[in-house]
Amino acid sequence: MQRSVPQTFDRVLSSMCTDPHPAARAAAERFLATNPGDPATYEEVAELEADAVETLGKITGLADPHGYITSGGTEANVQAVRAARNRSRDRVSDPNIVAPESAHFSFNKAADVLDVELRLVPTDETHRADVDAVRAAVDDETVLVVGVAGTTEFGRVDPIPELAAIAHDAGAFCHVDAAWGGFLLPFTDHAWNFAHAPVDSLTIDPHKCGQACIPAGGLLFRDRNGLDSLAVETPYLESTSQATLTGTRSGAGVASAAAALDELWPDGYRHEYDRVSDLASWFAGELRTRGFDVVDPELPLVAADVSESTFQALRDHEWRISRTDSDLLRVVCMPHVTRDTLSAFLADLDAVR
Ligand SMILES: Cc1ncc(COP(=O)(O)O)c(C=O)c1O
Protein backbone atom coordinates (compact mmCIF):
# COMPACT_ATOMS: atom_id res chain seq x y z
CA MET A 1 0.00 0.00 0.00
CA GLN A 2 1.23 3.48 -0.86
CA ARG A 3 1.76 5.20 2.49
CA SER A 4 1.20 8.71 1.17
CA VAL A 5 -2.45 7.97 0.31
CA PRO A 6 -4.89 8.02 3.23
CA GLN A 7 -7.40 5.23 3.67
CA THR A 8 -10.95 5.91 2.51
CA PHE A 9 -13.91 6.12 4.86
CA ASP A 10 -15.66 3.22 3.05
CA ARG A 11 -15.50 0.78 5.95
CA VAL A 12 -15.12 3.17 8.89
CA LEU A 13 -18.07 2.67 11.24
CA SER A 14 -16.59 3.40 14.67
CA SER A 15 -15.13 6.85 14.20
CA MET A 16 -16.63 10.24 14.97
CA CYS A 17 -14.48 11.79 12.24
CA THR A 18 -15.70 11.97 8.66
CA ASP A 19 -15.02 13.17 5.15
CA PRO A 20 -15.02 16.98 5.35
CA HIS A 21 -17.38 19.04 3.19
CA PRO A 22 -15.64 20.15 -0.07
CA ALA A 23 -15.93 23.83 0.95
CA ALA A 24 -14.24 22.99 4.25
CA ARG A 25 -11.40 21.20 2.46
CA ALA A 26 -10.82 24.12 0.11
CA ALA A 27 -10.84 26.64 2.97
CA ALA A 28 -8.43 24.48 4.98
CA GLU A 29 -5.95 24.47 2.15
CA ARG A 30 -6.19 28.24 1.65
CA PHE A 31 -5.52 28.99 5.33
CA LEU A 32 -3.00 26.22 5.96
CA ALA A 33 -0.13 28.55 6.87
CA THR A 34 -2.04 31.06 9.02
CA ASN A 35 -1.98 31.15 12.82
CA PRO A 36 -5.17 32.19 14.60
CA GLY A 37 -3.12 32.02 17.81
CA ASP A 38 -1.71 35.39 16.77
CA PRO A 39 -4.91 37.16 15.70
CA ALA A 40 -3.51 40.67 15.39
CA THR A 41 -1.02 39.41 12.80
CA TYR A 42 -3.31 36.94 11.01
CA GLU A 43 -6.42 39.10 10.90
CA GLU A 44 -8.37 37.29 8.17
CA VAL A 45 -8.38 33.95 9.92
CA ALA A 46 -9.21 35.72 13.20
CA GLU A 47 -12.30 37.17 11.52
CA LEU A 48 -13.29 33.74 10.28
CA GLU A 49 -12.94 32.42 13.81
CA ALA A 50 -15.23 35.15 15.15
CA ASP A 51 -17.80 34.23 12.47
CA ALA A 52 -17.55 30.55 13.36
CA VAL A 53 -18.03 31.27 17.07
CA GLU A 54 -21.05 33.42 16.30
CA THR A 55 -22.66 30.63 14.27
CA LEU A 56 -21.84 28.07 16.97
CA GLY A 57 -23.67 30.42 19.33
CA LYS A 58 -26.74 30.34 17.08
CA ILE A 59 -26.63 26.55 17.00
CA THR A 60 -26.41 26.34 20.79
CA GLY A 61 -28.93 29.05 21.72
CA LEU A 62 -26.50 31.80 22.72
CA ALA A 63 -26.83 35.30 21.24
CA ASP A 64 -23.46 36.58 22.48
CA PRO A 65 -21.09 33.60 22.69
CA HIS A 66 -17.52 33.81 24.01
CA GLY A 67 -15.24 31.06 22.80
CA TYR A 68 -12.87 29.79 20.17
CA ILE A 69 -12.12 26.96 17.76
CA THR A 70 -10.11 24.42 19.73
CA SER A 71 -7.95 21.56 18.52
CA GLY A 72 -10.87 19.23 19.35
CA GLY A 73 -13.28 18.11 22.02
CA THR A 74 -10.45 17.18 24.36
CA GLU A 75 -9.01 20.68 24.47
CA ALA A 76 -12.49 22.17 24.86
CA ASN A 77 -13.29 19.89 27.81
CA VAL A 78 -9.90 20.46 29.45
CA GLN A 79 -10.37 24.20 29.13
CA ALA A 80 -13.91 24.06 30.54
CA VAL A 81 -12.57 22.29 33.63
CA ARG A 82 -9.71 24.77 33.85
CA ALA A 83 -12.08 27.75 33.63
CA ALA A 84 -14.36 26.32 36.35
CA ARG A 85 -11.36 25.69 38.59
CA ASN A 86 -9.91 29.15 38.00
CA ARG A 87 -13.25 30.86 38.56
CA SER A 88 -13.77 29.01 41.86
CA ARG A 89 -10.39 29.82 43.39
CA ASP A 90 -11.81 32.17 46.02
CA ARG A 91 -14.37 29.60 47.15
CA VAL A 92 -12.66 26.21 46.86
CA SER A 93 -9.26 24.88 47.94
CA ASP A 94 -9.51 21.20 46.93
CA PRO A 95 -11.59 21.21 43.73
CA ASN A 96 -13.56 18.31 42.31
CA ILE A 97 -15.70 17.87 39.21
CA VAL A 98 -18.67 15.52 38.93
CA ALA A 99 -19.48 13.74 35.68
CA PRO A 100 -21.44 10.64 34.62
CA GLU A 101 -19.34 7.57 33.90
CA SER A 102 -20.42 7.98 30.26
CA ALA A 103 -18.30 11.14 30.03
CA HIS A 104 -15.51 11.09 27.47
CA PHE A 105 -12.03 10.16 28.72
CA SER A 106 -10.88 13.71 28.02
CA PHE A 107 -12.21 14.54 31.50
CA ASN A 108 -9.71 12.06 32.96
CA LYS A 109 -6.97 13.96 31.18
CA ALA A 110 -8.37 17.28 32.43
CA ALA A 111 -8.43 16.03 36.01
CA ASP A 112 -4.89 14.77 35.69
CA VAL A 113 -3.28 17.85 34.16
CA LEU A 114 -5.25 20.30 36.31
CA ASP A 115 -4.91 18.36 39.56
CA VAL A 116 -8.67 18.28 40.09
CA GLU A 117 -10.50 15.26 41.52
CA LEU A 118 -12.81 13.59 38.98
CA ARG A 119 -15.90 12.00 40.54
CA LEU A 120 -17.51 9.67 38.02
CA VAL A 121 -21.03 8.62 38.95
CA PRO A 122 -23.11 5.78 37.52
CA THR A 123 -25.56 6.19 34.67
CA ASP A 124 -29.12 4.87 34.95
CA GLU A 125 -30.62 1.93 33.05
CA THR A 126 -31.16 4.23 30.04
CA HIS A 127 -27.41 5.05 29.94
CA ARG A 128 -28.03 8.67 31.02
CA ALA A 129 -26.54 10.48 34.03
CA ASP A 130 -28.31 9.40 37.21
CA VAL A 131 -29.46 12.71 38.69
CA ASP A 132 -29.64 11.42 42.28
CA ALA A 133 -26.14 9.97 42.02
CA VAL A 134 -24.83 13.29 40.68
CA ARG A 135 -26.54 15.19 43.50
CA ALA A 136 -25.03 12.84 46.08
CA ALA A 137 -21.52 13.25 44.66
CA VAL A 138 -21.57 17.07 44.62
CA ASP A 139 -20.23 18.90 47.69
CA ASP A 140 -18.85 22.31 48.73
CA GLU A 141 -15.63 21.71 46.80
CA THR A 142 -17.34 20.90 43.50
CA VAL A 143 -16.43 23.40 40.79
CA LEU A 144 -18.09 21.77 37.77
CA VAL A 145 -20.93 19.39 36.96
CA VAL A 146 -20.68 17.83 33.51
CA GLY A 147 -23.54 16.62 31.35
CA VAL A 148 -23.10 14.90 28.00
CA ALA A 149 -25.38 15.70 25.07
CA GLY A 150 -24.66 12.77 22.79
CA THR A 151 -22.54 10.23 24.62
CA THR A 152 -19.65 8.60 22.81
CA GLU A 153 -20.81 5.03 23.47
CA PHE A 154 -24.62 5.20 23.23
CA GLY A 155 -25.47 8.64 21.83
CA ARG A 156 -27.52 9.47 24.92
CA VAL A 157 -28.46 12.96 26.14
CA ASP A 158 -28.17 13.59 29.88
CA PRO A 159 -30.89 15.54 31.75
CA ILE A 160 -29.12 18.88 31.29
CA PRO A 161 -31.61 21.23 33.07
CA GLU A 162 -31.52 19.02 36.19
CA LEU A 163 -27.71 18.83 36.14
CA ALA A 164 -27.42 22.61 35.72
CA ALA A 165 -29.75 23.13 38.72
CA ILE A 166 -27.65 20.78 40.87
CA ALA A 167 -24.46 22.60 39.83
CA HIS A 168 -25.79 26.06 40.59
CA ASP A 169 -27.35 25.04 43.92
CA ALA A 170 -23.84 24.01 44.95
CA GLY A 171 -22.24 27.21 43.63
CA ALA A 172 -20.54 25.24 40.84
CA PHE A 173 -20.57 25.69 37.06
CA CYS A 174 -22.28 23.43 34.52
CA HIS A 175 -20.58 22.24 31.34
CA VAL A 176 -22.29 20.37 28.49
CA ASP A 177 -20.20 18.13 26.27
CA ALA A 178 -21.99 18.19 22.92
CA ALA A 179 -18.77 17.51 21.00
CA TRP A 180 -20.49 14.90 18.84
CA GLY A 181 -24.20 15.65 19.36
CA GLY A 182 -24.08 19.41 18.85
CA PHE A 183 -24.81 19.35 15.12
CA LEU A 184 -27.61 16.79 15.48
CA LEU A 185 -29.49 17.99 18.55
CA PRO A 186 -30.79 21.29 17.08
CA PHE A 187 -33.19 19.17 15.03
CA THR A 188 -34.55 17.22 18.00
CA ASP A 189 -36.68 18.26 20.96
CA HIS A 190 -33.99 17.54 23.56
CA ALA A 191 -33.14 20.17 26.20
CA TRP A 192 -29.38 20.43 25.81
CA ASN A 193 -28.12 23.95 25.14
CA PHE A 194 -27.69 27.47 26.60
CA ALA A 195 -31.29 28.39 25.78
CA HIS A 196 -32.73 25.33 27.51
CA ALA A 197 -30.87 25.56 30.81
CA PRO A 198 -28.43 27.85 32.66
CA VAL A 199 -25.44 26.05 31.15
CA ASP A 200 -22.13 27.93 31.64
CA SER A 201 -19.94 26.32 28.97
CA LEU A 202 -20.34 23.89 26.11
CA THR A 203 -18.21 21.80 23.75
CA ILE A 204 -19.38 21.43 20.13
CA ASP A 205 -16.96 20.08 17.53
CA PRO A 206 -17.09 21.18 13.89
CA HIS A 207 -14.64 18.38 13.00
CA LYS A 208 -17.20 15.72 13.96
CA CYS A 209 -20.77 16.10 12.66
CA GLY A 210 -20.01 19.68 11.58
CA GLN A 211 -18.08 18.27 8.57
CA ALA A 212 -15.05 20.55 9.03
CA CYS A 213 -11.44 19.37 8.73
CA ILE A 214 -9.45 18.25 11.75
CA PRO A 215 -8.47 20.12 13.95
CA ALA A 216 -11.68 22.01 14.68
CA GLY A 217 -13.35 21.62 18.05
CA GLY A 218 -15.45 24.30 19.67
CA LEU A 219 -15.62 25.77 23.17
CA LEU A 220 -18.26 28.33 24.14
CA PHE A 221 -18.92 30.25 27.35
CA ARG A 222 -22.09 32.07 28.30
CA ASP A 223 -20.09 34.85 30.02
CA ARG A 224 -17.01 36.74 28.96
CA ASN A 225 -15.55 35.87 32.40
CA GLY A 226 -15.35 32.21 31.42
CA LEU A 227 -12.98 32.87 28.55
CA ASP A 228 -11.14 35.61 30.45
CA SER A 229 -10.37 33.20 33.28
CA LEU A 230 -8.21 31.25 30.79
CA ALA A 231 -6.23 34.19 29.43
CA VAL A 232 -2.51 34.64 29.97
CA GLU A 233 -0.42 37.63 28.88
CA THR A 234 1.47 37.30 25.60
CA PRO A 235 4.31 39.83 25.70
CA TYR A 236 5.91 39.14 22.31
CA LEU A 237 2.77 38.85 20.13
CA GLU A 238 0.91 41.72 18.51
CA SER A 239 -2.09 40.81 20.67
CA THR A 240 -1.71 41.09 24.45
CA SER A 241 -3.38 37.96 25.84
CA GLN A 242 -4.34 34.43 24.84
CA ALA A 243 -7.08 32.20 26.25
CA THR A 244 -6.39 29.10 24.14
CA LEU A 245 -4.48 26.07 25.43
CA THR A 246 -2.33 25.69 22.34
CA GLY A 247 -0.23 28.62 21.16
CA THR A 248 0.27 28.40 17.42
CA ARG A 249 -2.94 26.88 16.06
CA SER A 250 -4.16 25.52 12.77
CA GLY A 251 -5.66 28.16 10.51
CA ALA A 252 -6.85 25.23 8.40
CA GLY A 253 -9.09 23.98 11.20
CA VAL A 254 -10.53 27.42 11.90
CA ALA A 255 -11.13 28.33 8.24
CA SER A 256 -12.65 24.95 7.44
CA ALA A 257 -15.01 25.25 10.41
CA ALA A 258 -16.12 28.69 9.26
CA ALA A 259 -16.64 27.40 5.70
CA ALA A 260 -18.59 24.30 6.77
CA LEU A 261 -20.82 26.32 9.07
CA ASP A 262 -21.41 28.89 6.37
CA GLU A 263 -22.30 26.20 3.88
CA LEU A 264 -24.39 23.88 6.05
CA TRP A 265 -26.11 25.76 8.89
CA PRO A 266 -29.00 25.20 9.18
CA ASP A 267 -30.44 23.41 6.13
CA GLY A 268 -27.48 21.20 5.27
CA TYR A 269 -27.17 19.96 8.85
CA ARG A 270 -30.92 19.40 9.12
CA HIS A 271 -30.91 17.39 5.92
CA GLU A 272 -28.00 15.30 7.18
CA TYR A 273 -29.69 14.78 10.56
CA ASP A 274 -32.82 13.46 8.82
CA ARG A 275 -30.74 11.14 6.65
CA VAL A 276 -28.64 9.62 9.44
CA SER A 277 -31.62 9.29 11.78
CA ASP A 278 -33.51 7.27 9.19
CA LEU A 279 -30.36 5.28 8.47
CA ALA A 280 -29.79 4.43 12.15
CA SER A 281 -33.44 3.36 12.64
CA TRP A 282 -33.30 1.17 9.55
CA PHE A 283 -29.99 -0.39 10.59
CA ALA A 284 -31.23 -1.06 14.14
CA GLY A 285 -34.30 -2.77 12.63
CA GLU A 286 -32.15 -4.91 10.34
CA LEU A 287 -30.03 -6.05 13.30
CA ARG A 288 -33.14 -6.86 15.35
CA THR A 289 -34.61 -8.86 12.47
CA ARG A 290 -31.45 -10.95 12.61
CA GLY A 291 -32.02 -11.60 16.32
CA PHE A 292 -29.47 -9.21 17.85
CA ASP A 293 -30.22 -7.21 21.00
CA VAL A 294 -30.04 -3.54 20.00
CA VAL A 295 -29.93 -0.44 22.22
CA ASP A 296 -32.60 1.92 20.83
CA PRO A 297 -30.81 4.68 18.92
CA GLU A 298 -31.65 8.12 20.32
CA LEU A 299 -29.14 9.87 18.10
CA PRO A 300 -27.66 8.12 15.03
CA LEU A 301 -25.43 5.69 16.91
CA VAL A 302 -26.40 2.03 17.08
CA ALA A 303 -25.09 -0.35 19.77
CA ALA A 304 -25.81 -4.06 19.53
CA ASP A 305 -24.87 -7.30 21.23
CA VAL A 306 -22.64 -9.11 18.73
CA SER A 307 -20.43 -11.99 19.82
CA GLU A 308 -16.67 -11.59 20.09
CA SER A 309 -16.04 -14.10 17.28
CA THR A 310 -18.44 -12.32 14.91
CA PHE A 311 -16.90 -8.97 15.84
CA GLN A 312 -13.41 -10.27 15.07
CA ALA A 313 -14.56 -11.83 11.79
CA LEU A 314 -16.00 -8.48 10.72
CA ARG A 315 -12.74 -6.77 11.60
CA ASP A 316 -10.98 -9.39 9.46
CA HIS A 317 -13.23 -8.15 6.64
CA GLU A 318 -11.61 -4.75 7.16
CA TRP A 319 -14.61 -3.17 8.90
CA ARG A 320 -13.41 -0.47 11.27
CA ILE A 321 -15.68 -1.16 14.22
CA SER A 322 -15.31 -0.79 17.96
CA ARG A 323 -16.93 -1.98 21.17
CA THR A 324 -18.42 -0.17 24.14
CA ASP A 325 -17.04 -0.70 27.64
CA SER A 326 -19.79 -3.32 28.08
CA ASP A 327 -18.64 -5.07 24.90
CA LEU A 328 -21.43 -4.02 22.54
CA LEU A 329 -20.68 -3.37 18.88
CA ARG A 330 -21.07 0.35 18.15
CA VAL A 331 -21.76 1.85 14.76
CA VAL A 332 -21.76 5.63 14.36
CA CYS A 333 -23.78 6.92 11.42
CA MET A 334 -21.48 9.74 10.35
CA PRO A 335 -21.91 11.68 7.08
CA HIS A 336 -19.77 9.19 5.13
CA VAL A 337 -21.92 6.22 6.20
CA THR A 338 -24.62 5.35 3.68
CA ARG A 339 -27.29 2.71 3.22
CA ASP A 340 -24.96 1.00 0.74
CA THR A 341 -22.19 0.92 3.34
CA LEU A 342 -24.43 -0.66 5.96
CA SER A 343 -26.00 -3.08 3.46
CA ALA A 344 -22.49 -4.33 2.63
CA PHE A 345 -21.78 -4.60 6.36
CA LEU A 346 -24.97 -6.63 6.93
CA ALA A 347 -24.08 -8.93 4.03
CA ASP A 348 -20.72 -9.63 5.66
CA LEU A 349 -22.40 -10.06 9.04
CA ASP A 350 -24.78 -12.64 7.53
CA ALA A 351 -21.83 -14.46 6.00
CA VAL A 352 -19.65 -14.66 9.12
CA ARG A 353 -22.05 -15.31 12.02
C1 LIG B 1 -18.62 13.34 23.66
C2 LIG B 1 -17.18 13.54 23.27
N1 LIG B 1 -16.45 14.49 23.88
C3 LIG B 1 -15.17 14.71 23.58
C4 LIG B 1 -14.53 13.96 22.62
C5 LIG B 1 -13.07 14.22 22.32
O1 LIG B 1 -12.95 14.87 21.10
P1 LIG B 1 -11.54 14.91 20.32
O2 LIG B 1 -11.22 13.50 19.97
O3 LIG B 1 -11.85 15.80 19.17
O4 LIG B 1 -10.54 15.51 21.24
C6 LIG B 1 -15.24 12.96 21.94
C7 LIG B 1 -14.58 12.14 20.93
O5 LIG B 1 -15.13 11.27 20.33
C8 LIG B 1 -16.60 12.74 22.29
O6 LIG B 1 -17.32 11.77 21.70
Side-chain angles (χ1 to χ4, degrees):
M1 198 199 297
Q2 202 187 339
R3 288 249 200 93
S4 56
V5 177
Q7 70 177 73
T8 68
F9 277 96
D10 289 2
R11 296 201 155 215
V12 177
L13 300 182
S14 59
S15 177
M16 291 185 158
C17 302
T18 195
D19 229 354
H21 188 278
R25 268 183 197 275
E29 201 170 330
R30 282 198 301 279
F31 282 84
L32 206 52
T34 63
N35 173 19
D38 188 0
T41 305
Y42 299 95
E43 288 174 340
E44 288 80 6
V45 76
E47 279 170 29
L48 289 180
E49 181 160 31
D51 291 350
V53 167
E54 197 184 313
T55 308
L56 290 177
K58 286 190 185 131
I59 296 174
T60 58
L62 196 57
D64 185 20
H66 304 277
Y68 72 96
I69 300 299
T70 64
S71 55
T74 298
E75 180 183 341
N77 288 341
V78 170
Q79 290 277 76
V81 175
R82 182 173 160 228
R85 185 202 62 178
N86 289 358
R87 295 171 87 186
S88 306
R89 278 212 170 109
D90 292 346
R91 185 178 67 84
V92 167
S93 56
D94 187 14
N96 69 70
I97 65 172
V98 177
E101 63 190 4
S102 54
H104 187 260
F105 52 78
S106 45
F107 290 100
N108 296 71
K109 296 182 185 177
D112 190 21
V113 295
L114 296 165
D115 197 19
V116 167
E117 182 195 348
L118 172 61
R119 297 183 176 172
L120 288 178
V121 301
T123 48
D124 64 17
E125 64 287 350
T126 68
H127 307 289
R128 295 177 187 84
D130 180 329
V131 172
D132 291 333
V134 171
R135 193 178 290 111
V138 166
D139 63 17
D140 290 348
E141 299 286 286
T142 302
V143 297
L144 188 70
V145 174
V146 175
V148 189
T151 58
T152 315
E153 288 202 328
F154 294 107
R156 291 300 192 245
V157 182
D158 288 333
I160 303 300
E162 287 86 342
L163 297 180
I166 292 171
H168 290 176
D169 284 351
F173 295 96
C174 174
H175 176 72
V176 171
D177 182 0
W180 177 68
F183 288 90
L184 305 163
L185 288 163
F187 313 109
T188 69
D189 53 13
H190 286 286
W192 65 284
N193 70 23
F194 291 106
H196 302 135
V199 170
D200 298 290
S201 57
L202 187 146
T203 295
I204 172 169
D205 286 356
H207 74 198
K208 296 189 171 71
C209 297
Q211 299 179 42
C213 301
I214 300 167
L219 172 64
L220 301 177
F221 290 97
R222 183 184 291 277
D223 300 327
R224 171 96 236 165
N225 290 344
L227 197 58
D228 285 351
S229 73
L230 299 171
V232 300
E233 287 177 17
T234 51
Y236 55 85
L237 297 186
E238 285 195 62
S239 46
T240 54
S241 78
Q242 193 175 79
T244 55
L245 191 57
T246 50
T248 299
R249 289 189 287 142
S250 164
V254 169
S256 78
L261 290 164
D262 205 31
E263 194 77 22
L264 295 169
W265 172 255
D267 295 342
Y269 291 130
R270 180 184 293 113
H271 185 266
E272 177 58 15
Y273 170 77
D274 289 342
R275 188 190 73 83
V276 286
S277 294
D278 289 350
L279 184 64
S281 304
W282 168 80
F283 183 59
E286 290 292 320
L287 290 172
R288 279 202 190 96
T289 307
R290 288 163 171 78
F292 294 105
D293 278 342
V294 180
V295 181
D296 253 341
E298 180 170 317
L299 289 174
L301 192 165
V302 181
D305 197 1
V306 168
S307 73
E308 176 64 22
S309 57
T310 302
F311 180 85
Q312 284 309 332
L314 288 164
R315 280 198 63 89
D316 292 344
H317 278 71
E318 302 290 316
W319 290 102
R320 299 291 162 226
I321 46 178
S322 68
R323 278 178 163 327
T324 66
D325 201 33
S326 49
D327 274 349
L328 302 180
L329 163 77
R330 101 187 227 289
V331 168
V332 192
C333 296
M334 293 299 288
H336 62 270
V337 177
T338 64
R339 183 113 166 203
D340 283 352
T341 315
L342 293 183
S343 296
F345 178 80
L346 289 167
D348 282 352
L349 177 63
D350 290 339
V352 301
R353 58 194 294 232

